[in-house]
Amino acid sequence: MTETDPREYDVVVVGAGPVGENVADRTRAAGLATAIVESELVGGECSYWACMPSKALLRPAITRADARRTPGVMGGLSDALDVRAVLAHRDAYASHWEDDGQRRWVEGIGADLYRGHGRLAGPLVVEVTGADDERHTLTARNAVAVCTGSRALLPDLPGLAEARPWTSREATSATSAPERLIVVGGGVVAVEMATAWQALGSRVTLLVRGDGLLRRMEPFAGELLAESLAEAGVDIRTGAAVVSVSRAHGTVVAVTDAGDRFEADEILFATGRAPRTDDLGLETVGLEPGSWLRVDDTLRVPDRDWLYAVGDVNHRALLTHQGKYQARIAGDAIAARAAGPTPGRAVGEVPTAVADRGAVPQVIFSDPEAASVGLSLAEAEKAGHRVRAVDVDLSTVAGAGLFREGYRGQARMVVDLDDETLRGVTFVGPGVGELLHSATVAVAGRVPIGRLWHAVPSYPTLSEVWLRLLETYRDD
């Protein structure tokens, strides 16, 4: 073991994914000496095993689906994607699982990078164990920011470990398409990976414990996605809880609670996430190892004025863009508290993260896409709001038929009847992901219906759905 001299910084960031990078970028911009600790690749889950590689796998599938329904193009397409080319494109977007570019970025902002496993060793102290058991003790003068993210959560099932299941990491980095793939789950990862690998030639069976897909969105989202996946060839089984898994001679067998057996070459479990806090040293500061870290709106852990938990690890919104949003808030909050009172600003006047409560946008990059922001109708009613749902068939919008022949889709806005602002918006249909930011602005800004009438959508685009939603609200 090599012991180095203790190092002191203003801020120590544990985790160098997009969230940790953004915290460090903000604290460095404020002139605070900052160290970043990373045990894997700088750039994190999103860059190498989630956002980037998954969307690189999905884009060819969606482009082909659009082209197949575009007059003048649809007759001249091959039925099969070029799997080798798609995987090579994916590899490029994952930077071939090398982080040289991200490492140079960290150096460029003037932060110090420590490669190794970081653990808290008491208030404001982080111990880093690197290669060859090299150790560093980092002390923070102002703050430690935990940005370690989350990991795939595997259920405790007989035979699962021996069956060597895929998680989201294996699903986005596989080097070939399995002939047969079982996907267990009905959420975002399950839907996206079923879409991608079915398009790449796998015969996909989707085993869903509940009675439908995307249960956290409006019901029509899961219904339209299920119809499309079934048409593409995915075998969807709802009410199918997997109770055991085994692998023998290269074949995986999943058995459900109904006694049904399903065979495949690989099995992907997309059944939730867990915080990466089990070996973080939380016990040294009075917190429970393996727990999600509760925070206030400045992303600070209560009763520990030096500790921040940012991104997935706080369980507020497990989305990369929300984590980066939180990171900007947290970095600015750390900087403001470190600076103390300044002219025009008292101690304690720091930025707060408010979007996590009512204006979280999400896109599922399937075919069709599903996109939502804010509350669903059921969520708004449960929260006690007096609301009304306004629905429009997206195929009635002029731009829909131009976008894709036989366009199918649905839009809903949830209107707060007390102040006539939007509590939530959901779109399902090809290309609707690009509509979502307009909805996010409307929900986050609490833009009154009366003002939305003056945001005139261009004709003929999918955005004209806004005019149809407003007309339906007025006329009903």
Side-chain angles (χ1 to χ4, degrees):
M1 178 180 71
T2 302
E3 186 78 33
T4 62
D5 293 333
R7 314 282 179 89
E8 189 171 282
Y9 293 88
D10 294 314
V11 181
V12 177
V13 179
V14 184
V19 174
E21 288 178 327
N22 273 270
V23 172
D25 191 34
R26 279 306 221 255
T27 57
R28 282 298 303 132
L32 299 178
T34 302
I36 306 180
V37 181
E38 177 54 54
S39 61
E40 294 187 291
L41 296 175
V42 179
E45 198 81 11
C46 178
S47 298
Y48 306 104
W49 300 286
C51 321
M52 301 307 289
S54 67
K55 303 316 168 277
L57 289 173
L58 285 158
R59 188 60 201 158
I62 295 169
T63 299
R64 182 182 66 172
D66 288 339
R68 280 178 164 175
R69 294 171 178 83
T70 302
V73 180
M74 53 191 179
L77 287 176
S78 168
D79 287 338
L81 291 173
D82 185 337
V83 176
R84 181 175 295 182
V86 172
L87 295 183
H89 178 65
R90 183 273 318 272
D91 292 352
Y93 264 85
S95 302
H96 301 278
W97 291 273
E98 296 179 355
D99 64 359
D100 291 349
Q102 295 298 101
R103 175 184 54 78
R104 288 192 294 269
W105 180 87
V106 171
E107 294 171 352
I109 66 170
D112 289 345
L113 174 64
Y114 290 85
R115 290 189 179 275
H117 179 68
R119 296 183 85 256
L120 293 169
L124 294 166
V125 178
V126 176
E127 290 184 346
V128 184
T129 303
D132 301 322
D133 210 22
E134 181 180 32
R135 294 178 183 266
H136 300 277
T137 299
L138 311 180
T139 301
R141 287 182 284 266
N142 298 105
V144 173
V146 173
C147 309
T148 50
S150 63
R151 58 176 174 80
L153 179 64
L154 290 172
D156 184 14
L157 293 178
L160 185 60
E162 294 76 12
R164 303 184 303 280
W166 280 7
T167 67
S168 53
R169 284 196 170 196
E170 289 78 19
T172 56
S173 61
T175 57
S176 62
E179 183 177 339
R180 301 165 299 170
L181 174 65
I182 294 171
V183 179
V184 181
V188 177
V189 173
V191 166
E192 288 190 346
M193 290 298 96
T195 300
W197 289 108
Q198 181 73 29
L200 289 167
S202 298
R203 297 200 308 274
V204 176
T205 300
L206 188 58
L207 302 181
V208 186
R209 183 175 59 183
D211 59 3
L213 305 179
L214 304 178
R215 298 297 303 280
R216 295 184 179 181
M217 298 185 78
E218 298 285 8
F220 62 80
E223 293 165 4
L224 286 170
L225 260 294
E227 289 177 12
S228 180
L229 284 169
E231 289 175 3
V234 176
D235 182 8
I236 303 174
R237 305 296 182 97
T238 57
V242 176
V243 295
S244 69
V245 179
S246 61
R247 182 188 290 270
H249 309 295
T251 296
V252 175
V253 177
V255 180
T256 69
D257 55 354
D260 296 324
R261 291 167 54 89
F262 298 90
E263 294 187 357
D265 302 290
E266 301 291 350
I267 185 167
L268 162 63
F269 275 82
T271 49
R273 307 288 295 179
R276 295 184 64 183
T277 61
D278 48 329
D279 190 19
L280 189 60
L282 292 182
E283 68 280 1
T284 69
V285 295
L287 296 171
E288 182 182 352
S291 64
W292 301 102
L293 296 177
R294 186 168 59 91
V295 296
D296 63 20
D297 283 346
T298 68
L299 292 311
R300 188 163 64 173
V301 177
D303 302 321
R304 292 158 184 85
D305 61 6
W306 56 274
L307 183 61
Y308 293 72
V310 194
D312 279 13
V313 75
N314 63 38
H315 208 239
R316 286 166 68 109
L318 276 65
L319 295 161
T320 297
H321 47 272
Q322 290 300 124
K324 292 165 71 174
Y325 161 76
Q326 292 177 14
R328 293 188 289 270
I329 299 294
D332 288 349
I334 291 168
R337 287 173 172 141
T342 59
R345 179 180 61 80
V347 176
E349 290 183 1
V350 297
T352 56
V354 295
D356 290 342
R357 288 197 297 271
V360 176
Q362 181 175 22
V363 179
I364 292 92
F365 294 87
S366 48
D367 177 34
E369 291 178 343
S372 67
V373 62
L375 303 179
S376 67
L377 175 62
E379 288 170 336
E381 289 176 337
K382 184 177 180 180
H385 301 299
R386 195 170 68 90
V387 293
R388 172 183 154 201
V390 180
D391 294 319
V392 166
D393 182 343
L394 261 165
S395 68
T396 63
V397 175
L402 294 170
F403 191 96
R404 180 190 280 193
E405 191 171 87
Y407 191 105
R408 286 183 298 176
Q410 184 78 17
R412 168 175 287 181
M413 66 180 187
V414 178
V415 181
D416 189 313
L417 297 175
D418 290 326
D419 61 6
E420 290 201 312
T421 61
L422 304 187
R423 288 287 178 181
V425 180
T426 299
F427 303 114
V428 181
V432 298
E434 298 301 332
L435 289 177
L436 189 60
H437 192 59
S438 59
T440 303
V441 171
V443 173
R446 304 300 305 274
V447 181
I449 292 284
R451 289 298 301 160
L452 286 175
W453 276 104
H454 300 285
V456 182
S458 298
Y459 179 88
T461 68
L462 289 175
S463 293
E464 199 182 17
V465 68
W466 282 108
L467 178 58
R468 302 293 168 243
L469 286 166
L470 294 171
E471 289 175 334
T472 302
Y473 177 72
R474 177 197 62 192
D475 296 340
D476 285 355

